[in-house]
Amino acid sequence: MSGDPPTEVRVGPVTEVEVAPTLGWPHAVHADERIGWPNVSRETLDWPQLATRSRPTSTQAAVPDVRFRPPGPRRAHFDDDELTLPPGLHAEDDVSRETGGDSKFPLPAEPRTFVVANQKGGVGKTTTVVNLSAALALGGLSVLVVDLDPQGNASTALGIEHAAGTHGTYEVLLSGDAIADHAVPSPEAPNLMVLPASIDLAGAEIALVSVVARENRLLRALTAYLDDHPTDYVFLDCPPSLGLLTLNALVAASEILIPIQCEYYALEGVSQLMRTINLVKGELNDRLRLTTVLLTMYDARTRLAAQVADEVRAHFPAETLPTVIPRSVRISEAPSYGQTVLTYHPDSAGSVSYLAAASEIAARGAKEKS
Ligand code: ADP
Ligand code: MG
């Protein structure tokens, strides 16, 4: 983002009907209705764009010079079992971990609160929240993660206990507890606080219905927290639905980050999310802006990923970050060790790309200051 004043959230020409057929479906066949997938070999099909479209050049952006020291004892063994690094990223060359300590990312002008939303499940919302927040915290900034998903996946990946009965987001939303009462430091990085979610939060959607000012509960709690806990970045990890939990996040946030998976049906549901965002913007939170789109699970071996990336960049040219997140075995393994990929496998493509994405987000925030 440049220093331009906030622009309207852009809905663009995206509709479910228009978008789906161009996202990698070949012209020549139709999906098998039973399985939602063409039932012929894709090798022989008439692809609309064949290989003439290049991969996103943006992935060739230089990796910023960011230095941090990952917590040694939690660091896993290294090996080379890693998918292709996106073009231009060189893990060993470009990210040094020799020095640490100072803030390596620019401070934002004021605390930036991101809601990470996409009602599609499995697109990388939680993965993006935990890895970006760890990257920013390892880069010297102070970060709060609010886990709004009853599954508690963000809590898990950040090494936070969240068994049933653990106090956290539920108590903040339903009992009016302060965030500071239940937020706990993550072992993943200094200055990374987490408000955990336990499975109890599953009842919150229904319990909130009868609560006064039910969509403002998180906003009030967060405003109070930020007043006396200096914080640079807040990430709100949403469940895969557009219910009251996500609504609370949309009301509490000032920026929206949409992760989009580089797969078939990538933009499915995004038009509905955009309508919801516009409603919230008009009625409940006029600060809300879609500032950031992040392409996730990019598989450099497939034409489809490049096509989806082009498509998304065409719809969200200013918002889409130059860095794309590759599909990476290490990224998906890290949560089972209660870690982010940044500490689990700092040399991996996934770690390097999340660090680069965090750096781009921080740079955009710093620019908006001037
Ligand atoms: P969401 O929060 O949107 O439901 P997740 O972040 O939980 O999505 O991701 C869904 C699954 O995909 C998880 O198992 C996660 O580990 C895996 N995953 C996410 N990003 C990547 C990636 N870049 N490469 C490989 N696996 C990924
Ligand atoms: Mg999730």
Side-chain angles (χ1 to χ4, degrees), residues 118 120-128 149 153 237-238 240 296-298 325-329 331-333 335 354:
N118 188 333
K120 233 180 141 194
V123 298
K125 288 183 292 297
T126 301
T127 306
T128 295
D149 188 340
N153 294 338
D237 187 29
C238 291
T296 65
M297 301 189 215
Y298 184 92
I325 307 301
R327 185 171 278 286
S328 149
V329 174
I331 289 178
S332 57
E333 284 176 347
Y354 267 115

Side-chain angles (χ1 to χ4, degrees), residues 50-82:
L50 288 176
T52 51
R53 299 178 79 166
S54 60
R55 302 242 164 82
T57 51
S58 46
T59 55
Q60 290 155 18
V63 175
D65 179 22
V66 176
R67 291 148 204 268
F68 65 87
R69 187 191 296 279
R74 294 167 56 79
R75 188 165 157 167
H77 69 280
F78 290 0
D79 61 43
D80 295 330
D81 179 21
E82 182 61 271

